[in-house]
Amino acid sequence: MVPHLVTALNGPLHDLEKKILEATPAIERWFRLEWQEHTPPFYCSVDLRNAGFKLAPVDTNLFPGGFNNLATEMLPLSVQAAMAAIEKYCPDAKNLLLIPENHTRNMFYLQNVARMIKIFRQTGLNVRLGSLSAEVTEPVTIDLPDGEQLILEPLERSANGRRLGLKNFDPCTIVLNNDLSAGIPAILEELNEQTLLPPLHAGWALRRKSNHFAAYDEVVKKFAKMVDIDPWMLNPFFLKVKDVNFHERTGEDALAAAVDTILAKIRKKYKEYGIKEKPFVIVKADAGTYGMGVMTVHNSDEVRDLNRKQRNKMSVIKDGVEVRDVIVQEGVYTFEQVHESVAEPVVYMIDRYVVGGFYRFHEDRGVDENLNAPGMHFVPLAFAQQHAVPDMRAKPGTAAPNRFYMYGVVARLALLAASLELERTDPNPEIY
């Protein structure tokens, strides 16, 4: 499926696509060298926005929950990448414990869990599901719409307290698909003998988007210098604002000032490149996911004039966690369309490999709005061989494989930023 792109990649992105394609050997070598220095997260998904004059990541998720949206022909690639990832941590792995989110009624999410089990089983592992929910005290069977079944089991610590598993199941590796928004459960702490992937500090209990985008800033500057482009083409401006309370209206002035600062920087860039669009920013919680605690803002007065409903929406994220810190991020338009609806590409990676992706699209949202909201749909994006290999002879902006290659490059920049972020926020860094 080749998406309809309203802009036909006009403007500076033509130049960007051309430069990235010409620099492909240098880019791939650069990534190889970076991965010798840094360990990629176990898995990751990146939300991209393609404005035609800019292609940038706006969110990086270290607990991706949409493997069921990937094209089935991408499964072999996912299995291969998962093998490479697991071998790093546990070369003789036999048993793998997967810990999903607690929301067991969300069938879309559970189909993602089923797809992950399928991927891990095809790497030759015994895979079982352990639940963090206090309500799961004995095995629970869940029927999926396609006739498959999932069995959720209660987690158990070993007699010596150093290992985590299930009844009669001792895993070498534990894969978390639970983003720990509500905090770190005691049962996951101090596991000295097993590898937890991703590590606990990757969860939203400790992780902050501002740390991620600060690392991304560094990565993009290095990359842009090598490819000879303006880093802004791949990078949204952002600022962190601390101690905002939407209910009590504290921190409002600092938030409004940050909005003004970012809008001024965007205006300057738009003027430099002759872009006629109206600048906007996205205000979002510094921690958390599921598209909660996110709003589009066109001027700072909108932050001061929020009504009660908007304040309520901004003040709490997943699992009822209160928002205290936010980031103000440059809004990146998306001019991609699927079925005549606004769309954005989401790229999936396991270890350092792009294993596929999909378009998230929303019939009721505009080109400047968050698409991660109830009512969204997904169309698989096959990063199959013919898509991954760029066509060097094609005119800029005309070949889908070239665009998909660009998506993969920018997503891997975000992946590299995530690895730097995890290194820097590790509470127990290894001393070499």
Side-chain angles (χ1 to χ4, degrees):
M1 185 219 62
V2 177
H4 171 51
L5 194 63
V6 178
T7 54
L9 285 185
N10 59 12
L13 211 54
H14 269 172
D15 191 34
L16 179 66
E17 183 179 298
K18 192 165 176 282
K19 281 186 170 167
I20 282 182
L21 289 174
E22 283 170 357
T24 298
I27 289 169
E28 295 306 323
R29 179 175 181 272
W30 183 80
F31 274 122
R32 277 196 300 276
L33 294 173
E34 289 292 334
W35 294 130
Q36 285 173 23
E37 299 290 321
H38 307 286
T39 304
F42 178 70
Y43 53 12
C44 175
S45 70
V46 178
D47 295 0
L48 298 172
R49 303 274 288 197
N50 186 347
F53 52 82
K54 179 175 185 129
L55 175 66
V58 291
D59 217 0
T60 300
N61 188 354
L62 297 179
F63 299 88
F67 278 95
N68 53 313
N69 296 318
L70 302 184
T72 45
E73 56 264 35
M74 301 314 294
L75 268 177
L77 203 50
S78 299
V79 170
Q80 232 172 347
M83 270 182 186
I86 289 162
E87 270 171 22
K88 263 187 204 171
Y89 299 98
C90 193
D92 56 350
K94 186 173 72 168
N95 296 336
L96 182 139
L97 174 63
L98 179 59
I99 301 179
E101 292 282 356
N102 290 345
H103 42 247
T104 49
R105 290 185 188 86
N106 182 334
M107 280 301 155
F108 291 112
Y109 175 72
L110 292 171
Q111 285 168 327
N112 154 71
V113 173
R115 174 63 69 87
M116 287 173 70
I117 290 173
K118 194 172 186 178
I119 290 167
F120 295 136
R121 281 195 176 140
Q122 286 183 11
T123 68
L125 293 166
N126 303 315
V127 186
R128 280 165 68 177
L129 285 178
S131 175
L132 286 169
S133 172
E135 293 165 22
V136 177
T137 53
E138 53 188 62
V140 175
T141 302
I142 300 169
D143 294 312
L144 300 182
D146 60 2
E148 279 191 68
Q149 285 188 327
L150 295 179
I151 299 169
L152 271 178
E153 301 178 65
L155 294 168
E156 288 181 6
R157 283 298 274 255
S158 61
N160 68 4
R162 295 168 70 87
R163 296 180 73 83
L164 180 66
L166 309 171
K167 194 174 181 182
N168 304 322
F169 187 74
D170 182 26
C172 156
T173 307
I174 301 165
V175 172
L176 271 182
N177 196 243
N178 183 310
D179 64 23
L180 308 178
S181 288
I184 297 171
I187 199 163
L188 294 182
E189 290 183 321
E190 311 216 6
L191 294 172
N192 306 321
E193 298 177 1
Q194 288 157 304
T195 306
L196 193 62
L197 301 168
L200 290 178
H201 68 285
W204 287 121
L206 299 172
R207 188 178 177 227
R208 295 295 175 264
K209 292 174 188 176
S210 48
N211 290 335
H212 174 74
F213 283 103
Y216 183 75
D217 217 31
E218 285 175 45
V219 167
V220 166
K221 278 177 183 150
K222 275 172 77 175
F223 177 83
K225 198 173 176 184
M226 175 186 69
V227 187
D228 185 31
I229 54 167
D230 179 348
W232 175 75
M233 296 281 177
L234 304 172
N235 193 7
F237 294 127
F238 83 96
L239 277 175
K240 176 175 179 166
V241 185
K242 290 174 128 178
D243 303 320
V244 176
N245 187 320
F246 286 97
H247 282 312
E248 292 170 16
R249 305 190 67 160
T250 52
E252 221 170 59
D253 289 342
L255 181 55
V259 169
D260 282 335
T261 302
I262 297 292
L263 284 172
K265 289 175 87 167
I266 303 169
R267 276 190 207 100
K268 198 174 166 191
K269 280 291 179 189
Y270 278 17
K271 193 176 176 187
E272 184 184 333
Y273 288 104
I275 294 159
K276 301 285 187 276
E277 309 298 336
K278 187 182 177 185
F280 70 100
V281 298
I282 299 290
V283 176
K284 54 183 164 187
D286 197 18
T289 180
Y290 288 95
M292 297 172 82
V294 179
M295 66 176 173
T296 302
V297 174
H298 293 90
N299 69 66
S300 56
D301 292 344
E302 291 173 36
V303 171
R304 293 194 175 92
D305 299 339
L306 293 178
N307 60 35
R308 201 165 74 184
K309 188 180 172 189
Q310 289 167 318
R311 286 180 192 283
N312 289 343
K313 200 175 148 212
M314 284 303 293
S315 58
V316 176
I317 50 168
K318 185 177 166 235
D319 293 334
V321 176
E322 271 191 63
V323 173
R324 278 287 171 264
D325 299 340
V326 297
I327 67 168
V328 177
Q329 187 180 55
E330 174 185 348
V332 182
Y333 283 96
T334 181
F335 292 127
E336 306 225 28
Q337 284 198 342
V338 169
H339 306 320
E340 295 178 9
S341 298
V342 174
E344 64 189 13
V346 182
V347 177
Y348 269 57
M349 289 158 289
I350 297 177
D351 198 63
R352 59 193 174 100
Y353 306 102
V354 174
V355 297
F358 50 83
Y359 276 102
R360 176 191 286 124
F361 67 98
H362 204 301
E363 290 161 7
D364 303 320
R365 293 278 166 130
V367 291
D368 60 352
E369 291 183 287
N370 167 36
L371 304 186
N372 187 359
M376 59 185 163
H377 301 281
F378 305 99
V379 172
L381 189 81
F383 282 79
Q385 207 50 35
Q386 70 270 25
H387 288 314
V389 178
D391 179 358
M392 301 299 183
R393 293 190 307 269
K395 280 184 186 166
T398 59
N402 294 357
R403 191 178 320 145
F404 295 149
Y405 177 70
M406 276 178 67
Y407 291 164
V409 168
V410 178
R412 283 182 290 162
L413 293 174
L415 182 74
L416 180 55
S419 73
L420 292 177
E421 170 201 356
L422 290 178
E423 279 168 28
R424 288 166 187 177
T425 54
D426 190 344
N428 306 303
E430 289 184 30
I431 309 298
Y432 291 104

